Amino acid sequence: MTSTRTRLALAAAAALALAVPLAVGNADAATKPTAATAAPAAAPATTYTAAQVLAGIQQNSTAANQVNTKPHINTMTRAQNVNVYQVASGVYAYTSGMAIDTDGSDPDPDPDHQGETTWEDSNGQALGAHHVPFYVLGDDCWDRKTPCPHFFYEEHGMSGRQFALMFYNGKVIGSIFGDTQTANNQTTSDNDSRELGEASVKAAQLLGIPSSGTTGGVDNGVTVVMFSGSNWVVNGSNSNLNNNAQALVQTALDNLGSSMAGTGTTPPPSGTLFEAETGSMSSGGTFDSNHLGYTGTAFANPANATGSYLNIPVTASAAGTKTLTFRYSDGTDAARPAKITVNGTSRGTLNFPTTADWDTWSTVSISVPLNAGANTIRVTGNTSDGPANIDSVTVS
């Protein structure tokens, strides 16, 4: 079990059920030896990228789909502002920070390290935080009510080693349910079963997050997508649970992407995607995250002025004519035409029609010549409203 608040104090002082048989397991699988993970069944014909699936998750993370009626606690920031959404049948998602769990069979100098985890591998050994990417949920219903006002895994067909996708900063990994926050019958001042947003050292390392138990972690931006049902329990030992979890990632993306298809927003197209937030804007523009459905860490909101612009750096493997596809939103009642400039040369005007609202994303495309290597794409507003909100541009 974890002891997060103490860990955070030390750090401060120092500075979806889908019917696809992916793995064989049952509610008791966490404490009994079982067969190795079964080979995944065939995924849908359509292949989805992590950015496409994350956009669908964010689009479906609405009040209508919220599971909890009381907010959870962000383990890192202690803010009670984390919610859980059912983004598809049997699939649950939340976005929070990441605090680092060092518990389990791997030794660690973190003073909060404990030698056991709530869940074990298929051989009955405590999971190893340095070897197994796992996430942490509350041990019971803190409110002692049914249904629980907070998300409680036992009410949603989840057990130990339950598979999840974890997204952060353009990356996606596979993870399993490995440890729990303190239950109501345990005495601690540093833990709370309402908390969300803790994961193992290995999960942090795979996502590029500082993985120290005392000084690591990140305050926000980590999305965990949990797949319920025994078919999504991952079996194996500490030595291969990571590989078994990563082997399920693309199948999970494809199944979840297919399940969420037609949710009312256009995902990024195929090609090489460049996020708008990697660029720069003229005065008054901001990179925001106050609308649903964007990919990456933010979207560009250029200033409302004629001539305001957004620059996006892109690269091309070879020179030639390429298609630029902009993913954008315009929740007003008027289209926002913009001049497209490539490396300082105007390539014409592209119209950005209105969308249903600011949470709905669409795409428009234009063909332009690119140089091999680095290029700069500028979108300049032709009207007093400036350009539309731009999420990304894809080069294909």
Side-chain angles (χ1 to χ4, degrees):
M1 274 51 96
T2 60
S3 180
T4 305
R5 290 190 191 171
T6 298
R7 179 176 301 127
L8 294 174
L10 288 169
L16 210 288
L18 295 179
V20 180
L22 298 179
V24 179
N26 55 49
D28 297 323
T31 57
K32 298 179 181 179
T34 59
T37 299
T46 302
T47 298
Y48 288 84
T49 67
Q52 289 173 320
V53 172
L54 182 58
I57 292 165
Q58 293 168 334
Q59 183 72 14
N60 286 352
S61 295
T62 64
N65 294 332
Q66 186 172 317
V67 176
N68 57 299
T69 56
K70 292 184 178 180
H72 287 264
I73 302 168
N74 179 325
T75 307
M76 281 294 281
T77 67
R78 313 310 304 165
Q80 296 190 31
N81 60 1
V82 182
N83 297 308
V84 181
Y85 305 91
Q86 184 169 346
V87 296
S89 177
V91 184
Y92 305 94
Y94 66 86
T95 299
S96 186
M98 181 184 283
I100 310 305
D101 188 344
T102 64
D103 292 347
S105 56
D106 300 329
D108 192 280
D110 173 13
D112 282 336
H113 168 77
Q114 300 177 57
E116 296 182 356
T117 50
T118 303
W119 308 104
E120 301 171 340
D121 70 6
S122 298
N123 296 321
Q125 300 298 310
L127 299 175
H130 292 260
H131 286 80
V132 181
F134 62 74
Y135 60 97
V136 180
L137 298 176
D139 194 63
D140 65 3
C141 179
W142 188 91
D143 311 85
R144 299 187 182 277
K145 295 179 180 179
T146 303
C148 189
H150 294 92
F151 178 85
F152 179 42
Y153 68 92
E154 286 188 354
E155 294 181 341
H156 299 285
M158 295 180 61
S159 181
R161 302 201 308 272
Q162 198 79 47
F163 178 78
L165 293 168
M166 301 182 79
F167 299 82
Y168 177 71
N169 200 24
K171 296 182 179 180
V172 62
I173 66 168
S175 182
I176 64 172
F177 181 17
D179 207 358
T180 58
Q181 300 287 8
T182 301
N184 283 321
N185 60 357
Q186 296 175 267
T187 302
T188 177
S189 61
D190 305 312
N191 228 337
D192 193 314
S193 60
R194 295 172 296 176
E195 292 180 15
L196 282 176
E198 185 171 11
S200 68
V201 173
K202 185 66 173 180
Q205 291 173 341
L206 292 174
L207 289 171
I209 294 171
S211 59
S212 166
T214 55
T215 61
V218 65
D219 284 351
N220 52 59
V222 181
T223 297
V224 179
V225 186
M226 303 168 289
F227 291 66
S228 69
S230 60
N231 288 334
W232 290 90
V233 171
V234 183
N235 296 310
S237 66
N238 275 296
S239 64
N240 61 20
L241 273 169
N242 175 46
N243 288 340
N244 292 347
Q246 304 320 315
L248 302 183
V249 169
Q250 191 59 54
T251 300
L253 289 172
D254 294 345
N255 278 279
L256 182 52
S258 294
S259 180
M260 295 189 301
T263 57
T265 193
T266 302
S270 299
T272 304
L273 184 146
F274 300 90
E275 295 288 357
E277 62 268 27
T278 63
S280 60
M281 283 182 283
S282 56
S283 178
T286 57
F287 294 107
D288 297 337
S289 58
N290 58 327
H291 295 299
L292 298 172
Y294 64 89
T295 62
T297 59
F299 59 86
N301 179 10
N304 294 333
T306 302
S308 67
Y309 63 82
L310 162 71
N311 287 332
I312 309 178
V314 307
T315 58
S317 59
T321 299
K322 309 293 183 181
T323 298
L324 304 181
T325 301
F326 296 90
R327 188 169 189 262
Y328 77 96
S329 66
D330 176 10
T332 68
D333 56 2
R336 299 193 180 197
K339 181 173 69 173
I340 306 301
T341 303
V342 179
N343 300 323
T345 301
S346 175
R347 297 300 175 182
T349 295
L350 183 61
N351 196 39
F352 291 78
T354 60
T355 55
D357 51 44
W358 292 110
D359 297 326
T360 299
W361 301 86
S362 188
T363 59
V364 291
S365 301
I366 187 173
S367 294
V368 301
L370 294 183
N371 297 330
N375 298 265
T376 299
I377 309 301
R378 173 172 289 193
V379 182
T380 305
N382 286 353
T383 70
S384 60
D385 287 332
N389 286 355
I390 307 294
D391 179 39
S392 63
V393 61
T394 300
V395 177
S396 58

